């Protein structure tokens, strides 16, 4: 099994910055795509950014130019640097990873973290 643990959330004023981290642990053979999703109050969960194993990235248009996703494969960790934060960015941010397990190397499974709260307000 795999655990994803997010950290770095908090309270910040508009225009401020935060960096989220997500560390994966467990019986991991290979991590493929990793990503960040968010869910605001009363809204459905949405993709924010994702990064492939070789470093290719995709962003939702609303965060393009403000957020940067990166990963450290040696540490099984994905990051989300968030700059120029806006009140609409307020949400619980969830880490996601597509993982091939040691016990089942030929198929991938999707895992989720428990989420970290980001609140942007003044």
């Amino acid at each position: 099994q795999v655990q994803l643990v997010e950290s770095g959330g908090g309270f910040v004023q508009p225009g401020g910055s935060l960096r989220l981290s997500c560390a994966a642990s467990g019986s991991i053979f290979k991590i493929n795509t990793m990503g960040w999703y968010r869910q605001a109050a009363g809204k459905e969960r949405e993709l924010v950014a994702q990064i492939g194993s070789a470093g290719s990235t995709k962003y939702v248009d609303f965060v393009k130019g403000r957020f940067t996703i990166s990963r450290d494969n040696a540490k099984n960790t994905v990051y989300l640097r968030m700059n120029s934060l806006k009140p609409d960015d307020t949400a619980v941010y969830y880490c996601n990873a597509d993982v091939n397990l040691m016990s089942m190397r030929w198929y991938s499974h999707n895992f989720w973290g428990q989420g970290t709260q980001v609140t942007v307000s003044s």
Side-chain angles (χ1 to χ4, degrees):
Q1 55 188 10
V2 173
Q3 286 187 305
L4 303 178
V5 180
E6 301 100 333
S7 62
F11 185 93
V12 66
Q13 293 182 325
S17 298
L18 289 172
R19 191 180 79 157
L20 306 183
S21 299
C22 172
S25 62
S27 186
I28 299 170
F29 176 73
K30 182 181 181 181
I31 301 179
N32 306 300
T33 301
M34 304 185 79
W36 289 95
Y37 294 72
R38 69 186 184 187
Q39 186 167 18
K43 303 286 187 178
E44 65 182 15
R45 183 176 56 192
E46 63 180 356
L47 174 69
V48 177
Q50 61 183 17
I51 183 168
S53 60
S56 62
T57 59
K58 295 181 180 179
Y59 299 91
V60 173
D61 287 343
F62 192 76
V63 307
K64 180 69 175 180
R66 299 189 299 122
F67 292 9
T68 302
I69 189 170
S70 61
R71 64 190 287 170
D72 186 336
N73 291 332
K75 297 180 179 180
N76 290 335
T77 300
V78 63
Y79 306 93
L80 185 68
R81 181 70 186 186
M82 304 184 293
N83 296 324
S84 302
L85 283 162
K86 304 175 181 179
D88 284 347
D89 295 319
T90 296
V92 177
Y93 284 71
Y94 295 93
C95 177
N96 173 267
D98 188 67
V99 178
N100 292 83
L101 303 175
M102 291 293 293
S103 60
M104 192 179 296
R105 296 185 295 169
W106 311 118
Y107 300 90
S108 65
H109 302 261
N110 229 240
F111 295 90
W112 293 90
Q114 292 299 310
T116 183
Q117 177 70 48
V118 172
T119 301
V120 185
S121 181
S122 65

